[in-house]
Structures are given as structure tokens and as C-alpha cells.
Amino acid sequence: FFLMIRRPPRSTQSRSSAASDVYKRQYYHRGITYLALAQFAEALQDFDKAIQLDPTNYKFFHNKGIAYQEMRRYEEAITMFVRSLELNTGHTASIYHLGLMQHKNGELREALESFTKVLALSGDSRDVYESRGLVYQDMKQHMNAISDFNMAIKLEQDQPDVYFYLGNSKIAIGNYEEAIEDFHKAIELGSKNPGIFNGIGQAYRHLGNFPKSLYVFSRHFTGLDL
């Protein structure tokens, strides 16, 4: 005959722990779904519940930071990204989003450090080069900005915004003809940024081509394409 050995019943504590693991995952994944639906207040509530069940999971804090970021509550977002990094110092997504929030807050050197750290940890990234280029632009370090924008374009060419930013930095250093080419490339790629007309008009004015400058500005005011 077969001897039946029954497994001892699980303790109340172990059952409670298993239930806690299930609930924290459900709150977390539902919070992610709320984020995707742009229901940020609901996402925050679910991330808070997940954190109450497990305050050591860096992902919970990171995504709570994303919710605050989308709500333009930048200081609170920074707090969440910092907490995420306290739990996982190498989490590059938290470092990157911390850099974005630092830039929003005008903390340019801190943002520059964050973006540079991401590149050191994870290698080339179009988004990071673009973001760091914008920080350099705000710091009036336009040659560095141009270098980063060119790297972003090298990694992914069909990005009209990057050509627009590149054109702005080239105007700042007096490279007007190349700036015009970059603005036109942005238009070719589908950009509808009204600042492009301003950039092209300025560039032609600096080149002394006042009729062309007036033409570009007038097309903008009448809502017509170039």
C-alpha cells in the first residue's frame, strides 16, 4: 500500500505573505494600466497601496514618479525618482527621468550630470542625447548641444524636433545657412512647430537677405507653408 504523507498546513503568516505578494503585484500592474490611460490620480492610489505592502520595490516609486511627472508635480516626481535610486542606484530610467525633472526645475548642472550618467551606464540613446543637448542649449553651450543633437540624429534620423533644436543652436553660433537647412529638414519630416518660421526668418535676416526674411515671416502670419 502507499503511505500518504500530508503536507503540514501553511501558517497563517505564510498565507498572509502570499496574499500580500499577490495584492502588491495587482496594485502595481493596475497602476501601470491607469498610467497608460492617463488616469494619474488613480495610478497614484494604486502605487501607494503597492508601496504600503512593499516599501522596498524601486519600481513602485519610479512609476509613482512618472505619474507625478505627467501631472506636472515636478518636486514630488523628483522625490520619487530619488527614492527609487536609493533602492536601486543603477536604475537608468529613474536617473533619466530625474534628469528631465531637474531640467524642468532649472537645475541644469544636476540634469547634465544625470543624463551623462545614463549614457555612461547604458550606452548611446537618442532620447538621452536629445535631452542633454537641450540642457547644453539652455546653458548656452551650443557646440556641445550641436554635438549631442548630431548624435541623436545619427542614432535615429527621422526626428523633426531634433533638427529644429539643431537649427536653433546653429543660429546661436552664427551658422545661418546650415540652420536654414536644418529647419527645412524639420519641415520635410513633418514638423508643424511655428518656431521654425521664426528661425528661418531670423537666419535670412542675419544673412542680409531681407526680402526672403520678410517673405518667411509673412507666410507664417498668413498661416501658409513655405
Side-chain angles (χ1 to χ4, degrees):
F1 71 101
F2 294 98
L3 179 63
M4 300 291 292
I5 300 177
R6 289 190 174 183
R7 181 180 299 174
R10 297 174 67 182
S11 67
T12 303
Q13 183 176 2
S14 64
R15 288 198 300 270
S16 175
S17 176
S20 175
D21 286 342
V22 170
Y23 282 129
K24 74 182 181 185
R25 287 196 298 270
Q26 288 180 341
Y27 284 130
Y28 171 68
H29 288 293
R30 190 172 70 174
I32 294 292
T33 303
Y34 278 133
L35 271 183
L37 294 170
Q39 295 178 231
F40 304 123
E42 292 83 354
L44 284 175
Q45 291 176 1
D46 274 357
F47 293 140
D48 278 336
K49 290 173 182 175
I51 288 168
Q52 288 171 8
L53 293 169
D54 182 3
T56 66
N57 192 313
Y58 69 94
K59 293 180 181 179
F60 299 167
F61 290 97
H62 172 77
N63 284 283
K64 186 177 178 182
I66 296 294
Y68 279 135
Q69 176 180 321
E70 294 299 321
M71 298 170 78
R72 302 179 186 273
R73 293 164 62 174
Y74 301 134
E75 290 290 347
E76 290 160 295
I78 287 174
T79 299
M80 291 301 105
F81 295 135
V82 168
R83 180 57 183 149
S84 172
L85 290 168
E86 288 172 350
L87 296 167
N88 182 352
T89 57
H91 189 228
T92 54
S94 287
I95 301 170
Y96 175 66
H97 284 276
L98 175 61
L100 293 177
M101 296 301 92
Q102 290 166 331
H103 191 188
K104 288 284 187 183
N105 270 2
E107 302 167 16
L108 300 183
R109 294 198 178 278
E110 292 82 356
L112 186 62
E113 289 176 5
S114 293
F115 294 138
T116 301
K117 186 174 182 179
V118 175
L119 290 170
L121 288 172
S122 61
D124 290 342
S125 164
R126 188 203 70 82
D127 289 339
V128 182
Y129 278 119
E130 178 184 339
S131 297
R132 192 175 70 171
L134 289 171
V135 174
Y136 277 131
Q137 203 169 62
D138 285 348
M139 297 174 78
K140 310 303 181 187
Q141 296 183 26
H142 290 287
M143 293 306 296
N144 287 333
I146 288 169
S147 176
D148 272 3
F149 295 143
N150 280 329
M151 280 298 300
I153 290 168
K154 181 179 179 181
L155 293 168
E156 193 173 335
Q157 296 182 1
D158 297 336
Q159 295 296 320
D161 288 344
V162 182
Y163 280 101
F164 171 67
Y165 303 143
L166 186 60
N168 284 333
S169 278
K170 286 183 179 176
I171 281 183
I173 65 170
N175 194 343
Y176 304 120
E177 291 181 352
E178 286 192 15
I180 291 170
E181 291 177 7
D182 290 329
F183 290 134
H184 278 289
K185 184 64 175 180
I187 293 171
E188 177 186 324
L189 291 171
S191 177
K192 300 297 182 183
N193 192 323
I196 290 176
F197 288 88
N198 185 56
I200 296 174
Q202 282 190 62
Y204 278 123
R205 189 184 72 230
H206 285 296
L207 289 169
N209 191 338
F210 300 115
K212 189 69 173 180
S213 178
L214 286 175
Y215 170 78
V216 172
F217 285 128
S218 298
R219 299 288 286 185
H220 180 207
F221 289 133
T222 55
L224 299 173
D225 293 332
L226 290 175

